[in-house]
Amino acid sequence: MAPAFEPLDMAVLRLIAEEPRAGVREYARRLGVARATVQARVDKLQRMGVLISWRPQFDPAAMGYGGLAYVRLHLAQGRLEQTLDGLSRIPEVIEANAVAGDADLLCRVVAKDNAGLEEVLHQIIAVDGVERTSTEVVLSRRLMPRISPLIQKMHDELRR
C-alpha cells in the first residue's frame, strides 16, 4: 500500500531537498503556513521513513578521490552478511546494494586514480565470500544523484 501524501508534504520535501539548511521557520514562511504545521509534516515524513537523514552530501572527487567505478560482486552462497562486514572495512567502498540479476551486490567505489582503483579491487576480491567481480569505470558523471524532480512529479500528481 502506497503511503498517503498531500501536496503540502511534497512542497515541504521539495524545499528540504533544494535548501536543506533553510530551516523549518523559513519553509513555513515560503509556504505561507504555520511553523508548527511544517514541523508536523517533517515529523510525519521522518516517521514514514521518507526523510531518512539530514546529513550533508560530499563529493569524493573534490576530496582527491576522482576515480569512480561500479563493481558487481558475485558471492558464495550464504555469505552476504559476512561479505558486507568485510566490505564495510574498505573506506573506498562507499555504497553496496543487493541486486537481482547476474550479480549479488553492486558497489560504488572511489579511488584517487586508476592505480588506486586497482588496489581497492584487490582488497574487494580478498574479502571473504567474494567469488568474482566485474567493474565498470565511470568516465564522467552526467547526472548527479537527485530527488527534486521525483518530488515535483509526485506533487503535481497530487494536485490533479
Side-chain angles (χ1 to χ4, degrees):
M1 181 174 190
F5 293 108
E6 297 175 30
L8 184 57
D9 298 324
M10 293 298 108
V12 169
L13 272 180
R14 188 175 63 241
L15 286 173
I16 291 171
E18 292 171 357
E19 296 184 57
R21 294 178 57 174
V24 173
R25 180 177 295 154
E26 178 62 17
Y27 301 149
R29 186 189 68 73
R30 290 185 189 180
L31 296 171
V33 298
R35 182 192 173 286
T37 301
V38 172
Q39 186 63 58
R41 297 305 171 122
V42 168
D43 294 345
K44 169 189 168 184
L45 293 165
Q46 287 177 316
R47 277 193 313 276
M48 293 172 71
V50 174
L51 182 57
I52 59 172
S53 175
W54 291 89
R55 286 183 284 174
Q57 292 185 8
F58 298 92
D59 183 358
M63 298 167 61
Y65 287 81
L68 176 62
Y70 290 92
V71 182
R72 289 182 181 83
L73 280 67
H74 301 266
L75 308 181
Q77 290 288 329
R79 305 296 283 276
L80 177 62
E81 294 305 319
Q82 184 176 0
T83 304
L84 286 169
D85 185 53
L87 292 172
S88 71
R89 292 189 178 104
I90 304 170
E92 293 87 354
V93 176
I94 60 174
E95 185 177 348
N97 299 284
V99 295
D102 185 43
D104 300 302
L105 289 175
L106 179 64
C107 297
R108 187 163 52 123
V109 174
V110 296
K112 291 184 177 183
D113 52 29
N114 284 344
L117 177 59
E118 183 177 15
E119 184 179 317
V120 172
L121 291 173
H122 285 297
Q123 291 176 36
I124 291 171
I125 291 167
V127 170
D128 195 26
V130 175
E131 290 188 339
R132 72 182 198 281
T133 67
S134 63
T135 303
E136 306 289 334
V137 175
V138 175
L139 299 176
S140 64
R141 294 186 89 180
R142 300 300 181 139
L143 191 61
M144 296 299 282
R146 62 198 185 123
I147 193 71
S148 293
L150 181 61
I151 293 168
Q152 184 63 50
K153 177 183 179 189
M154 293 177 70
H155 183 259
D156 293 346
E157 288 173 350
L158 287 170
R159 298 189 100 182
R160 289 185 194 146

